[in-house]
Amino acid sequence: MVPHKPVPVLAVVAALLSWACAYPVVRLALPFFAPVSLAAARYMVAACLVVCWLCVKRPQLPRLKDLPRFLACGGIGIALYNILFNTGEQTVSAGAASLLLNTAPFLAAIAAVLFLNERLTLWGWLGSLTSFTGVVIIGSGQPGGLGFGSGTTVMLAAALCSATYYLLQRPLVTRYGALVTTAYILLIGAGLLLPWLPSAISTHNGWQAWALVGVLGIFPSILGYGAWAHVVGQVGVTRSSGLLYLLSPTTLLLAFVLVREVPNVRTLIGGCIVMAGVGLMQMYGHPRPQVKA
């Protein structure tokens, strides 16, 4: 039996802290920027770093036939996702937002069933129902509840974008590798957000506001993805996916430290139910391949 490679602890910590900080830092930055302008400014910073990295590494350019998929990933997974994420965080707490976005694997599995002819087991459907129950509990405790256009439904739309992005990028990561694929997608997303960059620049915010933009552009947008690509390369997709369950608790902790946000009991209970449902789906939701005799 081949022993498992050790988990790169420092890379895991770097990725989780980088991604978790996005939730409270976005809340701190929203008083200075409109949601779309904040997304444009954040990815302007990320794009500058990506261009420098691409100039040094000179990876393979995307094939012409892959360009529509890259554009879809950048448009849905970066531009639209961040617009919805920033809009939702205007009313949804950082902790609740991270728990609602934990439904992305659940939504990806449902999308795969509907559009990719994949199947779910009975346990998979039970996990889906469990996750949905948790979402209802969390959403009912947020401003606007689950009404159309509320922060909760906007955040669920962001989770759907994340799930769609996950499905779209799979073949690209296989062909180009995680880092190169992410670099091109970030660059495309930044380009699509470029029309709103002048609005962000013209707001004449102080250095504190732009420091927050710098944090968002460097840590969750660049460091988080880079560290996680290293983790996946070391231990594989299956083992690394389980570590993502640590993201919501990390977010809750950072939200308390940075913005003194204390989640209510309903959010905590709903979050536990969501994570249990997603875990059930991830572990037992898909039929095991039959081994031929």
Side-chain angles (χ1 to χ4, degrees):
M1 184 176 180
V2 179
H4 286 304
K5 289 184 178 180
V7 175
V9 177
L10 288 179
V12 170
V13 171
L16 292 177
L17 287 176
S18 297
W19 282 337
C21 81
Y23 296 87
V25 173
V26 163
R27 287 190 69 83
L28 290 171
L30 281 172
F32 301 100
F33 299 94
V36 186
S37 298
L38 176 59
R42 167 183 175 178
Y43 281 93
M44 173 196 69
V45 174
C48 291
L49 297 174
V50 166
V51 167
C52 293
W53 184 82
L54 290 173
C55 289
V56 172
K57 293 294 183 180
R58 297 183 180 274
Q60 173 191 356
L61 291 173
R63 301 172 190 171
L64 190 61
K65 67 176 183 179
D66 290 328
L67 285 179
R69 188 176 290 270
F70 271 109
L71 286 169
C73 286
I76 296 171
I78 301 297
L80 182 58
Y81 168 82
N82 278 274
I83 291 171
L84 293 169
F85 177 80
N86 293 349
T87 303
E89 276 225 63
Q90 289 181 308
T91 55
V92 176
S93 67
S98 70
L99 293 166
L100 289 169
L101 286 173
N102 241 343
T103 60
F106 146 64
L107 294 173
I110 297 300
V113 169
L114 294 176
F115 302 111
L116 301 179
N117 296 320
E118 292 190 12
R119 291 190 301 144
L120 285 179
T121 65
L122 178 61
W123 287 109
W125 289 111
L126 181 60
S128 302
L129 181 61
T130 302
S131 291
F132 181 74
T133 302
V135 167
V136 172
I137 293 172
I138 295 172
S140 62
Q142 300 298 313
L146 288 168
F148 181 77
S150 67
T152 298
T153 56
V154 170
M155 202 58 73
L156 288 174
L160 180 59
C161 287
S162 181
T164 305
Y165 168 69
Y166 172 75
L167 294 174
L168 286 173
Q169 71 158 352
R170 278 186 191 174
L172 298 177
V173 172
T174 302
R175 289 189 198 113
Y176 301 94
L179 279 176
V180 174
T181 299
T182 302
Y184 286 135
I185 289 172
L186 287 176
L187 205 56
I188 290 169
L192 293 173
L193 290 167
L194 199 58
W196 291 274
L197 184 59
S199 174
I201 296 173
S202 66
T203 52
H204 301 294
N205 289 314
W207 67 267
Q208 297 97 332
W210 287 101
L212 294 171
V213 168
V215 169
L216 290 170
I218 294 170
F219 289 97
S221 303
I222 298 294
L223 180 60
Y225 282 109
W228 194 252
H230 176 69
V231 173
V232 173
Q234 289 294 306
V235 302
V237 175
T238 302
R239 287 181 68 201
S240 61
S241 62
L243 297 170
L244 290 176
Y245 290 108
L246 299 172
L247 182 57
S248 288
T250 306
T251 301
L252 291 169
L253 179 61
L254 281 183
F256 174 75
V257 172
L258 296 178
V259 295
R260 293 293 183 267
E261 181 184 288
V262 179
N264 58 40
V265 175
R266 184 176 294 177
T267 296
L268 292 175
I269 293 174
C272 289
I273 293 173
V274 167
M275 294 174 71
V278 172
L280 191 63
M281 175 179 284
Q282 293 284 80
M283 290 187 291
Y284 305 111
H286 299 279
R288 293 183 179 181
Q290 294 181 348
V291 179
K292 294 182 180 180

